[in-house]
Amino acid sequence: MTFTVFLFHLHFKNQMETVTMSTPDIAEVDQFRCRVDEIFQKIDKLEKKVNEVEQFYLNANKKKKSSSKGNSIREEQDKGRHVPSIKKQQQDASQRESTAAKRMQELMRQFGTILRQISQHKWAWPFMQPVDVKGLGLHDYYKVIEKPMDLGTIKNQMEAKDGTGYKNVRAICADVRLVFDNAMKYNEEGSDVHLMAKTLLEKFEEKWQLLLPKVTEEEKRREEEEAEAQLNIQLVREASHAKRVQAISNELYEVDTHLEQLRETVVQKCRKMSTKDKRNLGTAVARLSTEDLNKALEIIAQSNPGLQAMAEEVEIDIDAQSESTLWRLNFFVKDVFEGRDKSTAGNNKKKRKKGICDAIAQTVKKKSKKPSS
């Protein structure tokens, strides 16, 4: 994609101020004004689109860099991958969530069996209900225990139907451990409650280790499914932005074409360059930096196909160049040297557009005041 269009409006004003039009025609001024306004409107829209696409790919690259090292292998695998539509992805997501919820329910059912076995132990009775802090006179309980928990509360939350219950098995496991950790924390080691809590926690851990592989497998499966879904979403977005890039590229080509036509019209209206002008131009070209000189040679090469612009030594006959080439070269050189003296970063876009049209109008007025020969 070429962004020549965005560079053009930065120096077009300078070109127009240099032009001395051969025929004073107010209608032409209005025509130029309309064409310039149209081009600027297109440029504004294109700049916005390009910025949006650029931001999308910047964010996408950041995500890729922050992801795992295995992404390079996966990217190779995904090159020929079929990208499902948005509607299909939504359907798949709904079905995936439903299936995963059923698998999690089965794991919670199995965990419920473990909880029931622990609750039926002869030493489980102190942990079945919330601690009666007031009745037992445990005035410092809430200072020691930040989050009270008991097996009865866990059972009720597992059976909740209002959506407030546990969403995964690990959350239940954490609360079961909390029940016994609280008891061992508040009650001194060697006390009956401390010993009972420690014993039940060990039994629970033994049973939990039997269920843990299934839980880990389910978590890994959910993670892979989520990664797959996110990848599909990203691919759909990239495909969408790829289409936008192509559309922008086509619009850029169209605007470039219009700019070229406008530039040609401007050059055709230029007066014939004098010998002095050519000599000054040749001197200015010789003062260009290596990088800018290569660009100047590219301009000359456009109308001189046989010119080897990248050769080590290039001889240029200024007098042999066409008027179109000379004025293009003149515009370029003027932009280069003016750019060295001042920055165009703070220029106001509206002033630039007004300057373009005013420069044309002033040129026409000056020309119309001169007596015809």
Side-chain angles (χ1 to χ4, degrees):
M1 183 186 296
T2 172
F3 294 92
T4 307
V5 60
F6 301 118
L7 302 177
F8 174 81
H9 72 281
L10 295 177
H11 63 261
F12 186 68
K13 175 183 176 182
N14 294 334
Q15 296 184 11
M16 294 302 299
E17 289 174 340
T18 307
V19 172
T20 302
M21 301 183 75
S22 58
T23 305
D25 189 344
I26 300 301
E28 279 189 304
V29 176
D30 292 334
Q31 185 179 9
F32 272 118
R33 180 182 289 110
C34 290
R35 293 180 70 179
V36 169
D37 285 339
E38 289 174 1
I39 289 174
F40 268 90
Q41 290 174 6
K42 289 182 179 180
I43 288 174
D44 289 339
K45 293 178 181 178
L46 284 171
E47 283 179 328
K48 183 178 179 181
K49 291 179 181 179
V50 168
N51 288 336
E52 290 174 354
V53 172
E54 182 182 21
Q55 190 59 49
F56 169 80
Y57 283 108
L58 283 174
N59 293 336
N61 288 335
K62 287 180 181 178
K63 289 180 180 178
K64 288 180 180 179
K65 289 180 180 179
S66 62
S67 58
S68 63
K69 296 180 180 178
N71 267 0
S72 57
I73 300 175
R74 184 157 191 166
E75 285 175 6
E76 290 296 323
Q77 297 173 343
D78 293 331
K79 282 184 177 178
R81 165 197 191 98
H82 170 69
V83 182
S85 64
I86 295 292
K87 184 176 181 180
K88 182 66 166 57
Q89 287 190 49
Q90 292 174 340
Q91 293 173 344
D92 291 345
S94 178
Q95 183 177 0
R96 185 171 58 250
E97 286 298 322
S98 176
T99 304
K102 291 179 180 179
R103 294 197 305 266
M104 184 56 67
Q105 287 176 0
E106 173 58 23
L107 287 174
M108 292 177 73
R109 185 192 67 78
Q110 294 180 40
F111 190 93
T113 301
I114 296 175
L115 182 63
R116 185 166 55 255
Q117 292 172 346
I118 296 297
S119 299
Q120 292 173 350
H121 193 278
K122 62 180 180 179
W123 286 353
W125 62 269
F127 313 109
M128 295 304 298
Q129 301 294 332
V131 175
D132 185 4
V133 176
K134 186 176 181 180
L136 297 173
L138 308 177
H139 306 297
D140 62 343
Y141 187 81
Y142 294 118
K143 294 181 181 180
V144 178
I145 304 302
E146 296 179 3
K147 182 184 177 182
M149 185 56 60
D150 64 275
L151 298 179
T153 297
I154 293 174
K155 181 175 180 296
N156 293 336
Q157 196 166 343
M158 286 182 66
E159 297 173 351
K161 305 296 184 181
D162 57 358
T164 61
Y166 294 105
K167 300 297 186 296
N168 60 77
V169 176
R170 283 193 184 273
I172 314 175
C173 175
D175 277 354
V176 172
R177 286 171 174 163
L178 183 61
V179 173
F180 302 124
D181 287 340
N182 284 347
M184 290 187 291
K185 182 178 181 180
Y186 189 78
N187 297 275
E188 295 182 359
E189 187 174 359
S191 65
D192 290 343
V193 174
H194 187 103
L195 178 61
M196 295 164 73
K198 184 177 180 180
T199 301
L200 290 179
L201 179 59
E202 290 173 353
K203 291 184 176 295
F204 167 74
E205 293 293 353
E206 290 176 3
K207 297 179 183 296
W208 167 249
Q209 289 302 316
L210 297 177
L211 182 61
L212 184 57
K214 295 182 180 179
V215 175
T216 303
E217 181 183 354
E218 173 60 23
E219 289 172 341
K220 183 179 179 181
R221 182 173 179 178
R222 288 295 297 269
E223 184 178 340
E224 290 176 349
E225 288 178 347
E226 182 61 26
E228 183 86 2
Q230 290 299 320
L231 178 60
N232 284 335
I233 292 173
Q234 181 66 16
L235 290 175
V236 168
R237 289 174 179 170
E238 288 183 3
S240 173
H241 278 79
K243 292 180 180 179
R244 291 191 67 187
V245 168
Q246 183 59 48
I248 292 172
S249 180
N250 293 338
E251 291 183 72
L252 282 171
Y253 177 79
E254 180 183 345
V255 173
D256 274 344
T257 302
H258 290 163
L259 288 174
E260 187 62 27
Q261 293 171 352
L262 187 57
R263 202 193 314 266
E264 282 297 327
T265 303
V266 171
V267 170
Q268 290 170 11
K269 298 297 181 181
C270 292
R271 60 173 172 78
K272 187 175 181 180
M273 191 171 284
S274 66
T275 302
K276 182 180 179 181
D277 291 333
K278 293 179 182 178
R279 185 166 59 251
N280 292 337
L281 178 58
T283 302
V285 169
R287 292 166 53 205
L288 292 173
S289 66
T290 302
E291 181 181 356
D292 290 328
L293 183 59
N294 288 334
K295 294 179 181 178
L297 292 175
E298 289 176 6
I299 293 174
I300 297 174
Q302 289 177 7
S303 56
N304 296 271
L307 178 68
Q308 299 294 325
M310 302 306 294
E312 291 185 6
E313 292 186 6
V314 180
E315 291 186 7
I316 301 297
D317 184 359
I318 289 292
D319 293 325
Q321 304 306 314
S322 66
E323 288 296 320
S324 174
T325 299
L326 290 173
W327 278 109
R328 286 173 181 271
L329 197 57
N330 186 68
F331 295 150
F332 171 74
V333 170
K334 184 176 181 181
D335 287 338
V336 169
F337 287 110
E338 287 190 355
R340 292 178 183 178
D341 299 329
K342 60 181 180 179
S343 172
T344 59
N347 286 352
N348 184 281
K349 193 186 320 180
K350 292 183 180 179
K351 290 183 179 180
R352 290 201 305 270
K353 290 197 288 185
K354 186 176 183 298
I356 293 172
C357 299
D358 288 349
I360 301 173
Q362 289 173 8
T363 302
V364 172
K365 287 180 181 179
K366 289 179 182 178
K367 199 67 175 172
S368 61
K369 289 179 181 179
K370 292 183 179 180
S372 57
S373 55

